Each structure stands twice: as structure tokens, then as C-alpha cells.
Amino acid sequence: MNTVLILIALATIGAAAAAMSRPSLLNCVLLLTLSWTGIAAFYLWAGAEFAAFAQVLIYVGAISMAVMFAVLLTRRGRRDFPPRKGSRSRAAYAVLAGAAVAGVLLAAVARSPLAASPAPGPASTVRELGGQLMGPHAAALLVVGVLLTVALIGAVVLAAGAGPEKPEATR
Amino acid sequence: MSPLQLCLAFSSALFAVGLAGALARSNSILVLLGIELMLNAANLNLIAFWRFSPHGSPATGVVFVVFAIAVAAAETAVGLALVISIYRHQQDIRLEEATRLKG
């Protein structure tokens, strides 16, 4: 059981680390999609099928496509946006910061008195989940729906707003 | 290591990768993607604690994760719209160039 988890974790972290270090934006997005698929595999391993389904649908399906569109819309050439002069030292500091955070978190995880042999986890069916969402969490579901609507309208307004180049003049 | 500790180590490593990526890259799309990775690492924690808690309620962890994914999707939509808006204004998406609000 642990072997599967370790394999999923290594694949996910490897894909994410490769994505964050590639110079080409399209490669980054594709590798991150792989990493998100690995996270969905982890949800499946943990028995949260609905979360895995949502992860595949939203991250692998929708967000990766939206990011791909943003990359293509802001593309300028083959070597678009070459890195600046100080970017190498900044990358070194960033890796250092990431390693420090990982060290602190891993030490905390290793020292915490967590249960050594966990009980078999709670089983969740989609019917139960639907009952929870429509019963105790109905208000939160409505709020999230309103949030998504407002965010999407705001995104459209932001992205479609007139730039400095006066679109009327080109008609 | 118990499975719960392995899950938490997995999510810590993923969080650190996202943090390093968000700090290291100057391309604003990649910074946004690093933040998404960190959010995903937090979701991994929620699922792990739900799965291995001794007496959890049936679907709490999944409900948490579904709401977190919805909020992350909204955040990505607004973030990408901001990136496109920045690009329209200065033909560049590197964060060093977005200095118009600098005091």
C-alpha cells in the first residue's frame, strides 16, 4: 500500500519540480498537468473518488486549458521573455527558501505523535457526499456558487477591458 | 513511517516545490501556477487527515477539498485575467516590468 503511495508521490513531485525548472512555458504547463493527474491518483488511492473526479475535471481539464490559452495569448516569439540578469541568484535563493520550508515541515511531520497504525478510513459514497452538500453545507455551496459567478464576471471584465491602444481607432 | 506521515511528507515536498517555483520564476503565469501547486498541497493534507482520522465524519474531507478546488478555480480565472490585462498594457508578463504601481 505504501509502495503505491511512494510511487505516486515521486511521480507528482518529479513532474512539479521539472515543470518549475523548465524554461519553456508550454513544457511547464504540460508537466504541471501531469503533476495534477498524479494528485488525482493520490485522491483515488485515499478513497476520495469524488475529489479525484473534481481534480481531473477542474485542474487537468479546465485550468490547464485556461493557462494554455493565457500562454498562447501572451506569446511573443520562440524565446519569449528571456530571463533577466539577476534571475539566477534569485532562483538560488528561492530554492534555498523552498528547501528550508521543506526541512521545517518534514521535521515537524517526523516528530509529531501521529497514529502509527491508523484505523480504516471512513468510506464515502457520492450519495453521502451529495447529502452533506445539500444538507449541512447548503449555504456554503450557495456562497461558492456566487463567488464563482462573481469571479468569472470579474475575470471577463478585467480581460476584456480597453487597453491603451484605443480599439475604436482600428475599426 | 506511517502512511499518514508519508502523505504529509508528500504534501510538504509539493508545497516546497510550489513555493520555490513561485519565488524563482519571474513569469507571472508561472508564479500563479506555483501558487496553485501550494493550494494542491494543502488539499492533499485535508484528504490525508480525513482518510486516516480515527473517527471522522463520512465526507468532511471531501467537502473541504471540493470547496477549496472551487475557490482555487475562481482564483486562477481572476489571476489569468490579470495576466492578460498586464500584457495588454505593457506587452510583457514578467513581474519585474509590472512596476507601474511602484511608489
Side-chain angles (χ1 to χ4, degrees):
Chain A
M1 184 174 172
N2 281 358
T3 324
V4 180
L5 172 60
I6 291 172
L7 282 180
I8 291 174
L10 285 182
T12 307
I13 294 170
M20 285 296 150
S21 56
R22 296 285 296 190
S24 156
L25 262 181
L26 278 179
N27 287 0
C28 294
V29 178
L30 291 177
L31 280 167
L32 266 179
T33 310
L34 194 66
S35 174
W36 287 330
T37 315
I39 293 172
F42 170 81
Y43 291 159
L44 271 186
W45 173 86
E49 287 90 3
F50 190 80
F53 180 65
Q55 174 86 11
V56 168
L57 210 64
I58 294 175
Y59 275 99
V60 182
I63 291 186
S64 69
M65 278 303 115
V67 173
M68 200 79 92
F69 267 108
V71 169
L72 294 179
L73 279 175
T74 58
R75 201 173 164 82
R76 286 200 309 195
R78 184 156 277 278
R79 287 283 306 165
D80 40 2
F81 309 123
R84 283 302 186 79
K85 222 183 274 174
S87 68
R88 193 166 285 271
S89 69
R90 205 178 63 170
Y93 282 126
V95 170
L96 208 65
V101 170
V104 169
L105 288 177
L106 289 177
V109 167
R111 286 178 177 209
S112 300
L114 298 166
S117 58
S124 128
T125 60
V126 177
R127 171 189 287 270
E128 265 176 14
L129 186 66
Q132 289 265 325
L133 279 179
M134 285 298 149
H137 301 289
L141 193 69
L142 284 179
V143 170
V144 164
V146 171
L147 172 78
L148 268 175
T149 312
V150 171
L152 288 181
I153 293 174
V156 168
V157 168
L158 266 179
E165 68 274 356
K166 292 197 176 47
E168 285 86 4
T170 59
R171 273 181 204 165
Chain B
M1 276 181 119
S2 67
L4 176 55
Q5 279 177 323
L6 273 180
C7 293
L8 296 185
F10 173 27
S11 111
S12 309
L14 202 65
F15 184 89
V17 168
L19 179 67
L23 290 178
R25 307 302 293 262
S26 61
N27 193 314
S28 46
I29 293 181
L30 279 173
V31 173
L32 198 66
L33 290 177
I35 294 170
E36 285 297 319
L37 263 187
M38 290 193 263
L39 272 169
N40 266 309
N43 285 348
L44 288 187
N45 270 352
L46 296 176
I47 287 288
F49 279 117
W50 165 75
R51 171 70 177 74
F52 294 111
S53 66
H55 34 67
S57 66
T60 318
V62 184
V63 169
F64 255 107
V65 168
V66 167
F67 284 143
I69 287 178
V71 174
E75 174 242 324
T76 309
V78 175
L80 289 177
L82 280 175
V83 168
I84 289 175
S85 176
I86 289 175
Y87 181 76
R88 289 159 60 101
H89 277 93
Q90 40 203 23
Q91 304 296 312
D92 203 328
I93 53 172
R94 281 175 300 189
L95 288 177
E96 295 100 330
E97 305 297 327
T99 54
R100 194 169 290 179
L101 283 179
K102 202 172 178 181

